[in-house]
């Protein structure tokens, strides 16, 4: 018999999609039976109370979680989010129910052996409820009490060689796409760059010294599977400079219907026979592709590397060999001054270990933002407030036409004095000799 | 429930302390076929919805079976995932950015037994534990935020809206009939820890009532200047209020300037906004993050408000289904939802989707608003 009746949540057990309610109920039952004889360090019925408080929210349409208090582990300013419920008498099992962020491995690859160890720890010292994964990328441990925080951190670091992730005004846990580990589109090793920078900036990740949060995300190609361009202050998107490699025989195989276009992604209905002109050449945003003498031609100089032709014909077209990445900065969600997408700062930079050039760009951005940024001002907002030119000056990057979609349509240029011949100091009396009042 | 020490000594927190070690290194978790062929992949194909094959220069192939999962997941469920990985995949698995689970095998004959096993597993309530799908020109899993399960600022629930929506669009999780892939995202307030502002369809929780002021506690709980500074529209000013015959420092809110963002509440717990009738859902459509064909786009608001009609948000899922069906029937091959809406024109989008257009949908927030009005005599009747 469940501790709390949950008539509303129960209605989310039906339907085909995996039911989080059913999962929580099975977890509540496993804890109640406790066949492993675990000496639970937080209330055994925590999941029952979690279901109960969620049911209350479904009934009254409001949350029952209070603001976080200041809890954490010694020496870190992030990785733990304090959470208390506002009905502790009714739901004592979740009265204190803090979150811990555990820094996920690159590409979110795991072994069963490792995941099970984390489960053992979390069953013993927490609720056994997780997010796989949180929005930023961490493994989220959902629900433990204050005395357990140091214990969990101690076990993570001593037994599992595993650190916490970021929260608060610091570098948030960086996240990457699957990259070259299993994707032929990857223009650089996203996992290696993500790991290298995560290790390099551990201090920034654990000890808040920034005006606000700062996110890195790593996309191996312009398809942007981790959405770095929309949700990271510093977005690394793989690209290349030379020619798309063409296998003309494979092009013919696509035209002949031997290979399915787009890897078979459109197999759910009959779109008719593949038409390279209509489906590739005409959809190319720069119209830099055409058929000539039975061969596919690409004017690579005009290509903007949108990936469409490569996505449609992956067996015929491959990314170039002169690879690196573009850096775009300042993306953020709408709060406060409206949503922003990342803006192109570095059109091309090499992405080879030890990535010193990339680190230089990052650190010059941070220096400027930490100096000029207001409390709780994201990088994108600072760029808007002070202007893109200030960012260029701070990073010592020369303005190029690639930085803009179009040049400005107003002439209100803030000239610097040293850009104007003779400077700004002038003699009014000298002027009046030639211009009467 | 006796306290069991990990070995940590609270009197000497620095004793044997290990810090700043970062995450586990990725390559220790690679399946052998991935470790061997990293950086040497030639191409990939979808064998059927939910099943991919990647072919390497060496001739090696890795077959991936992708299945959906609720990101809110118990250790019991994770242990079952581990068991499957050990039974079929040498103990290896991974998760995707969109909360899917991927099981990889190195030969085709291992695929069907794995798929069968996954599809045979159901929760006691009847739902699939591991539905196979989420690939190609279909609808993948929804990325989402925390919601009522664990957050202090949500205007709706996350796991509940996601479950309700995925149940409705489930057939397209397992099909490739869409003109292009269609990404749905969910954020339970406009802080958007899930960043839904560039999704084909975005479900967003939103408040509609200004904060209440807990004058008696406000000055004790909050830094008043921070609460004032947090307001993007300068609607908050300092004030003195009489509470129980005593003058206390507090704030006043100019309600007509409030845009219900909740940023003040983030800074000051004595200014709560949440409300059963006030809170609900905004639907946005037409965003994308990919640079494919057209540039990345923001999602646009097409439904200003829908109520939190728990537990299944039927008004919301009805509109989502309608938009998806109209798009699927009308868009060209490879055309994303936003590209289609721009081609036919937004006025036509509202016609075709039978959505009412109201004044709420005209931008009036700062300079960018102007660029969304129609500076042209070109429009469709």
């Amino acid at each position: 018999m469940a501790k709390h009746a949950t008539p509303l949540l129960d209605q989310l057990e039906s339907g085909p999609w995996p039911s989080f309610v059913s999962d929580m109920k099975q977890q509540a039952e496993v804890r109640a039976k406790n066949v492993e004889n675990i000496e639970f360090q937080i209330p055994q019925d925590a999941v029952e109370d979690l279901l109960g408080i969620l049911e209350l929210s479904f009934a009254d349409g409001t949350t029952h979680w209070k603001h976080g208090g200041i809890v954490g582990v010694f020496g870190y300013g992030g990785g733990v989010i304090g959470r208390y419920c506002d009905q502790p008498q009714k739901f004592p099992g979740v009265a204190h129910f803090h979150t811990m962020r555990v820094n996920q491995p690159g590409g979110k690859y795991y072994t069963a052996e490792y995941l099970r160890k984390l489960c053992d720890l979390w069953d013993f010292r927490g609720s056994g409820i997780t997010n796989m994964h949180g929005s930023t990328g961490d493994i989220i441990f959902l629900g433990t009490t204050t005395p357990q925080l140091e214990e969990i951190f101690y076990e993570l670091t001593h037994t599992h060689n595993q650190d916490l992730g970021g929260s608060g005004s610091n570098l948030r846990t960086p996240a990457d796409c699957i990259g070259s580990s299993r994707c032929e589109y990857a223009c650089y090793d996203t996992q290696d760059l993500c790991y290298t920078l995560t290790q390099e900036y551990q201090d920034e990740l654990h000890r808040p010294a920034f005006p606000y949060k700062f996110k890195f995300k790593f996309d191996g190609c312009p398809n942007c599977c981790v959405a770095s361009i929309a949700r990271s202050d510093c977005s690394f998107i793989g690209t290349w400079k030379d020619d798309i490699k063409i296998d003309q025989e494979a092009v013919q195989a696509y035209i002949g219907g031997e290979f399915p276009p787009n890897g078979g992604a459109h197999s759910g209905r009959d779109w008719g026979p593949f038409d390279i002109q209509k489906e590739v050449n005409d959809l190319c945003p720069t119209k830099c592709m055409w058929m000539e003498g039975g061969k596919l031609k690409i004017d690579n100089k005009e290509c903007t590397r949108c990936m469409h032709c490569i996505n449609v014909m992956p067996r015929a077209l491959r990314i170039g060999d002169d690879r690196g990445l573009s850096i775009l900065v300042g993306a953020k969600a709408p709060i406060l001054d409206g949503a922003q997408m990342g803006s192109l700062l570095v059109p091309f930079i090499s992405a080879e270990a030890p990535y010193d050039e990339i680190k230089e760009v990052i650190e010059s951005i941070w220096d400027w933002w930490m100096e000029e940024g207001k409390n709780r001002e994201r990088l994108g907002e600072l760029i808007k407030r002070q202007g893109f030119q200030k960012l260029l000056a701070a990073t010592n990057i020369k303005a190029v036409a690639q930085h803009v979609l179009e040049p400005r349509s107003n002439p209100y240029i803030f000239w610097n004095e040293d850009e104007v011949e003779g400077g700004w100091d002038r003699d009014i009396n000298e002027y009046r000799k030639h211009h009467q009042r | 429930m006796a306290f069991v020490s990990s070995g940590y000594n609270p009197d000497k927190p620095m004793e044997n302390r290990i810090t700043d070690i970062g995450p586990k290194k990725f390559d220790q978790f690679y399946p052998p076929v991935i470790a061997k062929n990293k950086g040497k992949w030639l191409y990939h194909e979808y064998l059927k919805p939910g099943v991919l094959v990647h072919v390497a220069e060496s001739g090696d192939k890795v077959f991936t079976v992708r299945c959906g999962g609720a990101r809110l997941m118990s250790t019991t469920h994770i242990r079952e995932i581990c068991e499957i990985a050990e039974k079929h995949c040498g103990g290896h698995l991974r998760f995707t950015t969109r909360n899917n689970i991927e099981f990889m095998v190195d030969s085709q004959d291992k695929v069907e037994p794995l798929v069968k096993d996954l599809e045979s597993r159901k929760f006691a309530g009847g739902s699939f534990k591991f539905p196979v799908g989420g690939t190609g020109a279909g609808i993948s899993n929804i990325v989402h935020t925390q919601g009522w399960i664990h957050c202090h600022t949500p205007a709706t629930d996350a796991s509940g809206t996601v479950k309700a929506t995925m149940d409705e669009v489930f057939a397209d999780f397992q099909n490739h009939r869409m003109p292009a892939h269609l990404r749905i995202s969910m954020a339970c307030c406009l802080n958007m820890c899930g960043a839904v502002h560039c999704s084909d369809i975005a479900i967003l929780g939103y408040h509609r009532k200004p904060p209440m002021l807990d004058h008696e506690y406000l000055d004790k709980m909050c830094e008043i200047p921070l609460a004032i500074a947090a307001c993007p529209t300068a609607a908050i000013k300092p004030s003195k209020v009489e509470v129980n015959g005593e003058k206390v420092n507090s704030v006043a809110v100019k309600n007509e300037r409030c845009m219900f963002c909740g940023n003040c509440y983030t800074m000051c717990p004595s200014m709560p906004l949440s409300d059963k009738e006030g809170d609900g859902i905004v639907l946005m459509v037409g965003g994308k993050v990919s640079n494919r064909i057209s540039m990345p786009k923001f999602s646009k608001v097409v439904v200003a408000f829908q109520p939190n009609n728990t537990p299944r948000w039927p008004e919301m899922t009805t509109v989502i289904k309608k938009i998806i069906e109209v798009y699927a029937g009308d868009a060209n091959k490879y055309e994303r939802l936003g590209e289609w809406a721009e081609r036919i024109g937004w006025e036509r989008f509202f016609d075709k989707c039978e959505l009412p257009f109201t004044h709420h949908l005209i931008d009036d927030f700062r300079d960018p608003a102007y660029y969304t009005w129609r500076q042209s005599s070109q429009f469709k009747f």
Side-chain angles (χ1 to χ4, degrees):
Chain A
M1 181 66 193
K3 183 173 172 188
H4 306 282
T6 52
L8 291 168
L9 292 178
D10 294 351
Q11 295 175 55
L12 289 175
E13 289 203 84
S14 56
W17 189 251
S19 169
F20 68 98
V21 177
S22 299
D23 190 15
M24 286 169 72
K25 284 186 176 178
Q26 77 169 357
Q27 183 75 357
E29 204 179 307
V30 166
R31 284 179 78 91
K33 284 186 184 153
N34 193 19
V35 287
E36 306 278 334
N37 274 319
I38 299 167
E39 201 158 4
F40 293 120
Q41 296 292 291
I42 78 158
Q44 188 165 0
D45 59 359
V47 182
E48 303 259 13
D49 279 351
L50 187 60
L51 280 161
I53 201 166
L54 186 60
E55 175 74 16
L56 180 61
S57 287
F58 269 64
D60 71 10
T62 53
T63 189
H64 288 282
W65 299 100
K66 297 204 272 189
H67 273 66
I70 305 294
V71 291
V73 297
F74 191 77
Y76 279 10
V80 180
I81 294 97
R83 194 61 81 211
Y84 304 89
C85 87
D86 67 6
Q87 295 291 334
Q89 298 81 6
K90 274 192 212 157
F91 308 104
V94 294
H96 300 206
F97 209 62
H98 310 319
T99 301
M100 297 187 87
R101 295 185 180 168
V102 179
N103 196 331
Q104 84 288 359
K108 299 190 174 81
Y109 283 99
Y110 294 97
T111 57
E113 186 198 0
Y114 181 67
L115 270 185
R116 236 187 235 121
K117 283 183 191 159
L118 289 185
C119 289
D120 290 344
L121 171 62
W122 192 231
D123 282 336
F124 176 40
R125 297 194 179 277
S127 68
I129 298 292
T130 76
N131 291 147
M132 297 298 285
H133 297 73
S135 299
T136 301
D138 299 279
I139 302 166
I140 307 290
F141 282 175
L142 217 58
T144 192
T145 56
T146 308
Q148 291 304 315
L149 298 172
E150 286 289 355
E151 308 297 326
I152 292 166
F153 181 68
Y154 191 92
E155 287 198 30
L156 278 176
T157 51
H158 285 75
T159 312
H160 306 297
N161 193 27
Q162 168 71 58
D163 209 335
L164 296 178
S167 64
S169 292
N170 60 11
L171 175 64
R172 298 299 182 86
T173 308
D176 51 14
C177 72
I178 194 163
S180 52
S181 72
R182 203 196 62 196
C183 183
E184 68 275 18
Y185 301 154
C187 301
Y188 68 99
D189 187 343
T190 51
Q191 277 145 42
D192 191 57
L193 180 56
C194 181
Y195 182 77
T196 303
L197 296 183
T198 306
Q199 296 301 95
E200 174 87 15
Y201 299 122
Q202 279 289 298
D203 192 29
E204 286 78 1
L205 197 153
H206 296 303
R207 297 171 194 87
F210 290 153
Y212 203 9
K213 64 181 92 166
F214 195 94
K215 298 184 179 183
F216 285 152
K217 293 200 191 295
F218 305 87
D219 274 310
C221 82
N223 280 328
C224 285
C225 289
V226 294
S228 68
I229 198 168
R231 55 193 199 122
S232 59
D233 300 86
C234 203
S235 153
F236 302 85
I237 303 177
T239 196
W240 67 93
K241 271 174 139 173
D242 56 344
D243 294 355
I244 292 174
K245 293 179 285 189
I246 309 179
D247 176 343
Q248 296 290 355
E249 269 179 44
V251 172
Q252 290 305 321
Y254 279 105
I255 294 173
E258 223 173 293
F259 297 155
N262 219 119
H266 295 266
S267 61
R269 69 162 116 158
D270 183 8
W271 289 93
F274 178 66
D275 180 343
I276 192 168
Q277 186 60 36
K278 192 173 140 208
E279 297 188 31
V280 179
N281 300 354
D282 289 350
L283 291 179
C284 169
T286 64
K287 305 284 180 283
C288 69
M289 315 178 69
W290 68 98
M291 294 299 292
E292 194 177 300
K295 292 205 155 131
L296 179 67
K297 301 277 183 186
I298 301 177
D299 182 359
N300 279 281
K301 200 164 173 298
E302 299 307 311
C303 170
T304 50
R305 301 166 310 287
C306 85
M307 295 298 293
H308 176 63
C309 59
I310 298 176
N311 288 332
V312 175
M313 304 191 293
R315 297 177 74 160
L317 301 177
R318 309 203 67 203
I319 58 171
D321 289 324
D322 187 3
R323 299 170 192 170
L325 56 84
S326 304
I327 302 178
L328 291 85
V329 296
K332 55 178 278 291
I335 206 162
L336 290 170
D337 202 18
Q340 282 178 247
M341 209 86 79
S343 298
L344 180 69
L345 175 64
V346 180
F348 187 89
I349 194 166
S350 142
E352 299 293 329
Y355 310 107
D356 287 337
E357 272 185 278
I358 292 175
K359 290 176 196 167
E360 262 177 53
V361 174
I362 292 166
E363 286 163 27
S364 63
I365 293 171
W366 282 348
D367 283 347
W368 176 60
W369 180 50
M370 289 167 76
E371 184 72 28
E372 299 288 334
K374 295 196 256 187
N375 181 35
R376 300 186 78 233
E377 184 174 49
R378 291 286 286 271
L379 176 64
E381 291 164 326
L382 173 63
I383 298 169
K384 263 171 89 172
R385 181 164 62 85
Q386 292 205 348
F388 195 81
Q389 289 94 325
K390 287 280 194 308
L391 171 68
L392 290 178
T395 50
N396 202 21
I397 291 171
K398 195 174 164 297
V400 290
Q402 283 80 0
H403 282 133
V404 294
L405 279 180
E406 58 186 33
R408 65 194 305 158
S409 53
N410 65 67
Y412 305 143
I413 300 164
F414 290 99
W415 289 100
N416 286 323
E417 185 173 7
D418 61 11
E419 289 180 307
V420 184
E421 295 76 5
W424 291 346
D425 270 341
R426 288 178 290 164
D427 185 344
I428 185 66
N429 295 323
E430 187 60 31
Y431 183 81
R432 285 291 170 229
K433 283 181 192 165
H434 311 286
H435 303 275
Q436 297 175 25
R437 284 191 179 91
Chain B
M1 192 171 80
F3 183 83
V4 181
S5 170
S6 60
Y8 169 73
N9 179 357
D11 296 328
K12 294 180 181 167
M14 290 312 290
E15 193 176 73
N16 299 323
R17 195 168 190 83
I18 299 174
T19 66
D20 300 86
I21 54 174
K24 304 282 273 189
K25 191 155 186 243
F26 50 90
D27 54 4
Q28 60 191 291
F29 296 132
Y30 283 162
V33 64
I34 295 291
K36 183 183 162 199
N37 295 291
K38 180 173 178 176
K40 295 173 196 150
W41 296 101
L42 277 179
Y43 67 92
H44 72 275
E45 270 170 19
Y46 306 96
L47 297 180
K48 62 178 190 177
V51 181
L52 300 92
V53 58
H54 287 79
V55 181
E57 289 168 12
S58 65
D60 286 354
K61 294 178 178 180
V62 60
F63 298 86
T64 301
V65 179
R66 181 179 295 171
C67 50
R71 76 162 215 184
L72 182 67
M73 198 174 269
S74 73
T75 49
T76 305
H77 194 64
I78 297 171
R79 288 176 197 278
E80 188 165 345
I81 293 170
C82 292
E83 176 217 315
I84 296 167
E86 278 174 347
K87 191 169 153 197
H88 297 274
C89 314
H92 293 274
L93 67 133
R94 71 175 290 266
F95 290 80
T96 73
T97 303
R98 302 195 76 83
N99 309 320
N100 292 309
I101 309 148
E102 287 188 344
F103 296 99
M104 284 162 277
V105 292
D106 54 14
S107 74
Q108 190 150 11
D109 58 316
K110 297 177 183 170
V111 172
E112 271 319 301
L114 171 57
V115 170
K116 267 209 180 99
D117 189 357
L118 290 168
E119 295 197 322
S120 72
R121 294 171 188 252
K122 289 190 168 183
F123 283 111
S127 64
F128 287 107
K129 282 180 174 171
F130 305 104
V132 173
T135 53
I139 299 179
S140 190
N141 201 345
I142 299 178
V143 291
H144 65 92
T145 57
Q146 210 65 276
W148 289 332
I149 193 80
H150 212 227
C151 182
H152 64 294
T153 65
T156 188
D157 188 43
S159 300
T161 52
V162 166
K163 164 72 175 154
T165 305
M166 285 310 292
D167 276 342
E168 288 294 326
V169 303
F170 186 74
D172 283 312
F173 180 76
Q174 302 194 310
N175 198 316
H176 286 165
R177 72 171 177 123
M178 289 290 133
H181 56 270
L182 190 142
R183 298 280 179 259
I184 309 178
S185 306
M186 193 285 152
C188 52
C189 82
L190 86 176
N191 271 306
M192 287 193 191
C193 34
V196 301
H197 56 293
C198 300
S199 309
D200 294 281
I201 297 180
I203 303 167
L204 174 66
Y206 209 82
H207 303 288
R208 292 186 307 165
K209 293 190 184 181
M212 291 173 279
L213 304 174
D214 196 353
H215 291 304
E216 192 179 347
Y217 288 89
L218 200 140
D219 194 29
K220 297 172 198 153
M221 301 281 286
C222 318
E223 295 280 352
I224 287 177
L226 285 181
I228 291 168
C231 182
T233 62
I236 306 174
K237 60 180 185 184
S239 77
K240 284 209 186 290
V241 187
E242 203 171 293
V243 179
N244 305 327
E246 204 185 320
K247 281 258 182 200
V248 295
N249 290 322
S250 187
V251 298
V253 176
K254 209 169 200 179
N255 285 341
E256 65 274 19
R257 288 179 82 149
C258 179
M259 63 177 202
F260 319 104
C261 72
N263 204 41
C264 53
Y265 181 59
T266 297
M267 299 310 287
C268 174
S270 297
M271 302 178 73
L273 288 87
S274 68
D275 186 89
K276 187 178 173 68
E277 282 76 35
D279 296 353
I281 301 276
V282 174
L283 286 179
M284 303 171 73
V285 310
K288 68 194 270 278
V289 293
S290 161
N291 289 274
R292 183 176 184 172
I293 303 179
S294 64
M295 279 185 268
K297 299 178 200 302
F298 290 125
S299 312
K300 281 88 182 164
V301 178
V302 296
V303 178
F305 181 78
Q306 282 173 330
N308 276 328
N309 203 346
T310 61
R312 284 201 172 263
W313 287 266
E315 297 87 350
M316 174 192 81
T317 55
T318 302
V319 171
I320 290 173
K321 279 281 276 189
K322 175 79 183 175
I323 292 170
I324 290 171
E325 286 311 320
V326 175
Y327 159 70
D330 202 50
N332 295 330
K333 191 177 178 187
Y334 306 113
E335 202 167 43
R336 293 288 291 270
L337 202 154
E339 293 167 331
W340 162 69
E342 283 175 13
R343 177 171 60 79
I344 64 172
W346 284 98
E347 66 271 45
R348 189 63 78 237
F349 170 89
F350 282 92
D351 280 353
K352 290 196 176 206
C353 295
E354 294 167 17
L355 288 172
F357 190 89
T358 66
H359 70 89
H360 309 99
L361 307 181
I362 299 175
D363 196 353
D364 54 4
F365 189 70
R366 303 199 174 155
D367 283 357
Y370 167 82
Y371 299 100
T372 66
W373 307 335
R374 192 181 297 267
Q375 285 93 31
S376 169
S377 61
Q378 292 186 19
F379 61 86
K380 292 181 182 175
F381 287 108

